[in-house]
Amino acid sequence: MNIAFIGCGKLGMPCAEELAKAGHKVTGYDVAKVKSNFVEIMPTIETTVKDAQIVFVAVPTPHDSAYDGRAPTAHLDPKDFNYNIVKDVLIEANACMYPSQMLVLISTVLPGTVRRELEPLVTCTSSLLTKSLIN
Ligand SMILES: NC(=O)c1ccc[n+]([C@@H]2O[C@H](COP(=O)([O-])OP(=O)(O)OC[C@H]3O[C@@H](n4cnc5c(N)ncnc54)[C@H](O)[C@@H]3O)[C@@H](O)[C@H]2O)c1
């Protein structure tokens, strides 16, 4: 298959490389300079997703610094992750994808986020799956 990754960091790159080693043609895009012997790194989201049957999104969803595990948080109000990067990427990918292509979000999001905030941004493809399918 032709597979694309947007976000080639600690999660995205190893997944992309394993799929490439398994024989799939894998393209990748990242705002940082990344290198791979297995994944073809592309200059834009548009060129990365072109011809891909599946597009994985593995960009950061940062948490507030008070929730980084250094100190207990039980006394703090619950605070959601920041989804701005995911939203920007979904909007850009949506603009250059077709209904036959599957978009798969593997960034971490809290339950309910996809239905509430992310799925409405994806109008061109029929699928926005997450690693937790009930999100
Ligand atoms: N690392 C893990 O083991 C792991 C496991 C499960 C879930 N996750 C989730 O996956 C997501 C990514 O985590 P990570 O550990 O790979 O983070 P990371 O910071 O290592 O990688 C994210 C990559 O996305 C790139 N990026 C940032 N903005 C971008 C943009 N606009 N377009 C394209 N690329 C962009 C960054 O340059 C970076 O290379 C997070 O939501 C995280 O919670 C990570």
Side-chain angles (χ1 to χ4, degrees), residues 94-115:
N94 183 63
C96 48
M97 287 178 67
Y98 298 96
S100 58
Q101 296 176 290
M102 182 182 285
L103 185 57
V104 183
L105 178 67
I106 58 174
S107 301
T108 300
V109 303
L110 288 185
T113 306
V114 169
R115 280 192 213 116

Side-chain angles (χ1 to χ4, degrees), residues 27-49:
T27 52
Y29 170 75
D30 199 293
V31 288
K33 197 167 169 54
V34 292
K35 284 187 193 163
S36 173
N37 291 328
F38 304 98
V39 176
E40 187 181 359
I41 305 302
M42 308 298 281
T44 62
I45 286 180
E46 185 173 8
T47 51
T48 306
V49 306

